[in-house]
Amino acid sequence: MTSLDRTLVMGVVNVTPDSFSDGGEWFSADAAVAHARELMADGADLVDVGGESTRPGAERVPVEEELRRVVPVIRELVAQQIPVSVDTTRAAVAAAAVESGAVIVNDVSGGLADPEMYPVVAGTGVVYVAMHWRGHADVMDQLADYDDVVTDVGAELRQRVAGLRSAGVADHQIVLDPGLGFAKPGSANWPLLARLDELLAEGFPVLVGASRKRFLGHLLAGADHVPVPPRQRDAATAAISALAAAAGAWCVRVHDARGTADAVRVASAWQGGRTVGEDAR
């Protein structure tokens, strides 16, 4: 897809009944398409269509059901000239989505959930987001031990890159994602954001997906220590979007596009102003 001189905004379209922040709202194909159009109108550059919840504790759905949920939505969005990413860990779903016009495969498992994923990516030439992952949603909270979370995540993502290259995937197809909230306790997410430059140093575009995650709910909790609900985390998400954009992230994945669309534009102007200032010296 066309690149911009700023961080891209990816809007989330959950075609699921059980996603953590908006499960069920966009479950029908018509509702999902309408929501995608709203996200684009609010400033998203593309939408990420997923048919299986990855919230902590979520159970898997059959591949046939995942296909039934996402393929009609993707076809309709592509027909409306909306750029589409598919959020899936399954090679069969990725292949069907790309055949239907998706331009990105966003795999939260980084290819670990399905050994056929890398050959599909290599064969189609599609852009592929490899997220840091250690296990499916029903077990990931048990897999959150790290010596140094930034070092460990970087090392494990390098393993994913090596596997992709071995399968014939070109470097220009690869995007990395630190996997905020996936097999990571709340406190482990902040070093990944604060040291995003270390992941960027790998030389690949980086996607940041902090939107409405649990660690934001805990950060914003009041005196009662009760995490604020997901929809009250959008302002904090936009703040992370601005900081991630200023750090050089390729894309941010969000549920609420309007605030983040403004945030990444502010970050771009801020960086541009710094450059102008340096040139004037």
Side-chain angles (χ1 to χ4, degrees):
M1 63 177 296
T2 302
S3 61
L4 301 177
D5 58 358
R6 59 162 174 80
T7 297
L8 297 173
V9 177
M10 176 187 284
V12 177
V13 179
N14 290 319
V15 193
T16 60
D18 58 344
S19 291
F20 78 96
S21 69
D22 57 4
E25 286 196 55
W26 327 115
F27 192 34
S28 73
D30 288 344
V33 169
H35 183 51
R37 290 174 59 86
E38 291 172 356
L39 288 166
M40 296 296 291
D42 284 344
D45 299 296
L46 70 159
V47 294
D48 191 38
V49 178
E52 182 177 45
S53 175
T54 55
R55 64 175 175 79
E59 295 183 2
R60 304 220 67 191
V61 300
V63 63
E64 295 81 10
E65 174 62 11
E66 189 179 351
L67 286 164
R68 186 194 68 79
R69 293 176 182 181
V70 302
V71 169
V73 174
I74 293 170
R75 286 177 177 162
E76 180 57 29
L77 293 176
V78 170
Q80 296 185 29
Q81 299 185 319
I82 293 176
V84 177
S85 166
V86 62
D87 177 5
T88 185
T89 63
R90 289 178 164 130
V93 176
V98 173
E99 184 178 356
S100 299
V103 293
I104 297 173
V105 173
N106 181 20
D107 180 359
V108 300
S109 82
L112 296 179
D114 188 338
E116 296 303 314
M117 181 63 86
Y118 290 176
V120 166
V121 174
T124 60
V126 71
V127 172
Y128 179 72
V129 181
M131 196 191 81
H132 177 264
W133 184 86
R134 286 182 166 181
H136 287 290
D138 57 342
V139 298
M140 67 178 178
D141 283 348
Q142 303 166 32
L143 304 172
D145 291 330
Y146 299 91
D147 292 325
D148 177 287
V149 66
V150 179
T151 300
D152 293 352
V153 166
E156 290 171 37
L157 284 174
R158 283 193 292 275
Q159 293 174 9
R160 305 291 81 75
V161 170
L164 285 160
R165 286 169 168 166
S166 294
V169 178
D171 280 9
H172 68 79
Q173 294 175 249
I174 302 172
V175 176
L176 301 181
D177 179 344
L180 300 174
F182 286 79
K184 299 174 186 73
S187 61
N189 294 281
W190 296 110
L192 288 165
L193 289 166
R195 295 162 59 186
L196 197 61
D197 60 322
E198 295 182 35
L199 186 55
L200 288 162
E202 298 293 335
F204 296 96
V206 171
L207 183 147
V208 173
S211 184
R212 298 182 178 176
K213 294 270 174 89
R214 286 182 297 174
F215 73 98
L216 294 179
H218 287 286
L219 173 73
L220 302 174
D224 57 4
H225 304 294
V226 176
V228 300
R231 288 183 182 277
Q232 293 180 26
R233 305 170 191 172
D234 287 334
T237 297
I240 288 179
S241 295
L243 292 166
W250 169 75
C251 183
V252 287
R253 181 181 183 274
V254 297
H255 297 82
D256 174 60
R258 188 179 297 277
T260 278
D262 291 347
V264 300
R265 285 166 173 80
V266 167
S268 178
W270 188 300
Q271 296 293 79
R274 175 179 295 173
T275 302
V276 170
E278 290 173 350
D279 291 344
R281 291 174 185 171

